[in-house]
Amino acid sequence: MRIAVVAESFLPQANGVTVTALRLLEYLDAHGDEVLVLAPAPSRGEDAVDQYAGASVYRFRSVSLPGYAEMRLSNPRVRTLAEHLRYFNPDVVHLAAPFLLGRQAIGAAQSLDLPTVAVYQTEVPTYARRYHAKQIESLLWRRIEHIHKRATLSLAPSSYACAQLIERGVHRVAVWPHGVDRDRFDPVYRDEALRATLAGPGEVIVGYVGRLAREKQVEDLAALAYLPNIRVVVVGDGPRREKLAQSLPGAIFTGHLQGPDLPRMMASFDVFVHTGQMDTFAQTIVEAQASGVPVVAPARGGPLDLVEPGRTGFLYPPDSLPELARHVRTLTEDAGLRLVMGVAARESTANRTWEVVNAEILRHYTNAVTFNLRDRAQRFRPPRRRLLTR
């Protein structure tokens, strides 16, 4: 197939939208599909990748999101996007986390009568509430509704996110989860030498991996401060790093890790805690599970599909920090339970590899093409003649 991927975020930005797009491009390239990527340009001085996994990457002028400099926003004209799509002539247009660039792209695709697959990946309206802009939350939900109702088919990474779209009147929706590289994230990378540099004898390592931003609620880890014999390790970087270092004085902050350092660190945790409530999937949870680490996470969003309470970890009611601390304490005090849950966590990812997950996308593309042909036939069906009777 020929697929145009319109990505609201792309390299060199490192986030869930980018990671999912990269794994998709690698899969499509391996299976002989032709791909064009349309994405925002990075900030000045950053490397504007123009090729990835056989796909050409075309960039559009962008500006940074106020208060979130790493996020780039691009709003080209519909006519400009339509010209690129007309020249490439795709079978389907894939919209990765459409919001601004994606909204323009769906208009361009419709002008050319091309089928679109819109992937809902970011709960942008709730971000507004976290960033003290609650007054625009309903406006942002209307934007998401508008985009996904216009799409030929919408995909969501979890049952929770899927239900969000359905509740807002989006009818053609399917669940398309994210995958995990089980070769990269594996318990075999547990490193006792690394653990000795992070924690003292007898200490249990409780880890977090992710962006250090307001919506991730990393400050909730302060609820673990009174637990005995634990060492909190925070992996990642972001605008709230300095503030979090003040509120979590006993924690170790490693900064951003990549390459072999990240799976080595992940496998060296004893317990993984995910604090964010706005993740439509929660990629780091499946990476921790593949690494053989039990997970404690809020019972909202993506974690609901990923964590099986009592088997692979625990879920706590959102914002209930005493429950978060109680579950972590249960795991830190019982090495046998951690071992059993870690094995079950690893097993739970057997059917969540990127190969398995991305194999589903071609079926979704085919469905979108079929839906589009059916819709087109409906639009151009001549009116039925009425029989006149005397």
Side-chain angles (χ1 to χ4, degrees), residues 320-343:
S320 180
L321 301 189
E323 285 296 294
L324 161 61
R326 184 175 71 84
H327 289 315
V328 171
R329 183 165 193 161
T330 297
L331 286 166
T332 57
E333 292 180 346
D334 191 335
L337 180 62
R338 293 199 303 273
L339 178 62
V340 170
M341 283 192 168
V343 171

Side-chain angles (χ1 to χ4, degrees), residues 115-133:
T116 53
V117 175
V119 184
Y120 171 53
Q121 285 181 253
T122 308
E123 198 176 318
V124 174
T126 315
Y127 276 41
R129 190 191 311 165
R130 279 289 168 194
Y131 283 86
H132 307 298

Side-chain angles (χ1 to χ4, degrees), residues 28-42:
L28 295 175
D29 179 51
H31 289 76
D33 298 297
E34 296 183 57
V35 183
L36 169 69
V37 177
L38 304 176

Side-chain angles (χ1 to χ4, degrees), residues 150-161:
R150 294 172 70 192
T152 311
L153 174 65
S154 289
L155 302 177
S158 64
S159 57
Y160 184 93

Side-chain angles (χ1 to χ4, degrees), residues 206 220-228 230 232 273 321 324-326 328-329:
V206 178
D220 289 355
L221 294 175
L224 310 180
Y226 74 91
L227 297 182
I230 75 164
V232 174
V273 176
L321 301 189
L324 161 61
R326 184 175 71 84
V328 171
R329 183 165 193 161

Side-chain angles (χ1 to χ4, degrees), residues 224-284:
L224 310 180
Y226 74 91
L227 297 182
N229 301 319
I230 75 164
R231 175 65 63 186
V232 174
V233 176
V234 178
V235 178
D237 213 338
R240 290 180 66 82
R241 178 170 176 171
E242 291 185 10
K243 191 163 187 175
L244 288 168
Q246 295 172 4
S247 60
L248 303 170
I252 294 175
F253 287 78
T254 69
H256 178 69
L257 296 182
Q258 54 188 356
D261 293 334
L262 179 58
R264 189 164 65 103
M265 179 66 75
M266 192 79 88
S268 299
F269 291 160
D270 296 302
V271 179
F272 183 82
V273 176
H274 177 86
T275 50
Q277 298 175 22
M278 289 177 284
D279 290 85
T280 55
F281 183 74
Q283 184 66 37
T284 55

Side-chain angles (χ1 to χ4, degrees), residues 124-141:
V124 174
T126 315
Y127 276 41
R129 190 191 311 165
R130 279 289 168 194
Y131 283 86
H132 307 298
K134 189 176 181 179
Q135 64 276 13
I136 65 170
E137 184 177 359
S138 60
L139 177 66
L140 296 177
W141 273 122

